[in-house]
Amino acid sequence: MRIFVTGASGWIGSAVTAELIEAGHRVVGLARSEESAAKIAALGAEVRRGHLDDLDALRAGADDSDGVVHLAYNHDFSRMADAAQTDAAAIAAIGDALAGTGRPFFIASGVAGLPGSPATEETAGPDFLPRMANANATLALAERGVRSGVLRFAPTVHGEGDHGFIAVLAGIAREKGVAAYVGDGAGRWPAVHVLDAARLVRLAVEQAAPGTIVHAVAEEGVPTREIAEAIGRGLDVPAKSIPAEEAAAHFGWIGPFFGMDSHVSSELTRKNLGWTPAEQGLIADLDAGFYAKS
């Protein structure tokens, strides 16, 4: 298949692009800059210049493809409403281009904020969270003849080179000289290795039925105390509990996330798509020193 991928030069997108190409698919990656274009070309993919606000470019990319994987998203937490609005417009444009074709269209979403213990693929995402409302709109495209689905990623997609949540926590620990966790540290943090996540995206594009939700979750919930202790080992700083009321002051914007208890299952995903995570877990990546680098 010829797959149009937005976010193809990003952390997850570059792994997905490489996985799709290795499996024999052709990838066209959306690039908003020369740097992104160079990264996409180096992976062996075709480059299409454009950005998420360029709806004509998105429609053209979708129309010229056998399927779309939409991974690009603005993760600036100070502009969450704007990011969700841009994403909604992009999803609508791509959906219009694919309507009636039966082609696959999968978008990135997340498991954070899902209710239940464990939250499953059948757990509905609340529409009051803008990104989940966009995910629900994508699922509804199945009624318009699109093999649409949602890729709910764990909050940490880890591996060497990850600059996400865990890297932020390591940076805070380095700055403050202590690797903190909230309360007793029993809160759970789902995780998946980036290579396992990329394989799952490929399987979804190849096999998943219309209206499918998949959970890119290899570990249902690593205790946050274990995460902090592993960060501490890597940086040679002590691990320490802090009260929940001090989390925001200590961690900043990431405090509310790290203080959550998020227990998420991927049992249905594994069963339906034959996905078996094979890479090492989050604590092993931490102990390998990937997050100890300044």
Side-chain angles (χ1 to χ4, degrees), residues 26 31 37 50 55 74 79 95 160 163 173 199 271 274 280 285:
R26 291 178 295 160
L55 300 184
N74 183 354
R79 301 184 59 195
E160 187 171 11
H163 295 290
R199 280 191 286 270
K271 176 182 177 182
Q280 67 184 12
D285 266 2

Side-chain angles (χ1 to χ4, degrees), residues 59 200 278:
R59 291 188 192 96
L200 177 58

Side-chain angles (χ1 to χ4, degrees), residues 29-99:
L30 183 71
R32 64 180 179 179
S33 68
E34 291 294 339
E35 181 182 5
S36 294
K39 288 181 179 179
I40 292 167
L43 291 167
E46 181 182 333
V47 175
R48 177 180 288 274
R49 295 301 298 267
H51 49 82
L52 289 187
D53 290 316
D54 187 349
L55 300 184
D56 288 338
L58 296 180
R59 291 188 192 96
D63 189 57
D64 191 34
S65 73
D66 299 312
V68 179
V69 178
H70 174 43
L71 301 174
Y73 196 84
N74 183 354
H75 292 280
D76 181 350
F77 286 94
S78 68
R79 301 184 59 195
M80 290 180 66
D82 290 343
Q85 186 174 20
T86 297
D87 192 46
I91 290 167
I94 295 169
D96 286 344
L98 296 179

Side-chain angles (χ1 to χ4, degrees), residues 10-11 49 64 97 116 124-125 186 207 241 277 286:
W11 169 239
R49 295 301 298 267
D64 191 34
Q207 303 177 24
S241 169
L286 281 161

Side-chain angles (χ1 to χ4, degrees), residues 170-226:
I172 294 169
R174 185 182 298 110
E175 174 189 350
K176 301 201 171 184
V178 59
Y181 54 90
V182 180
D184 63 2
R188 288 162 289 192
W189 187 271
V192 64
H193 194 282
V194 66
L195 297 182
D196 284 324
R199 280 191 286 270
L200 177 58
V201 174
R202 175 179 60 80
L203 290 170
V205 169
E206 293 174 344
Q207 303 177 24
T212 293
I213 294 173
V214 301
H215 277 186
V217 175
E219 296 176 281
E220 292 191 356
V222 183
T224 55
R225 179 171 180 167
E226 292 183 16

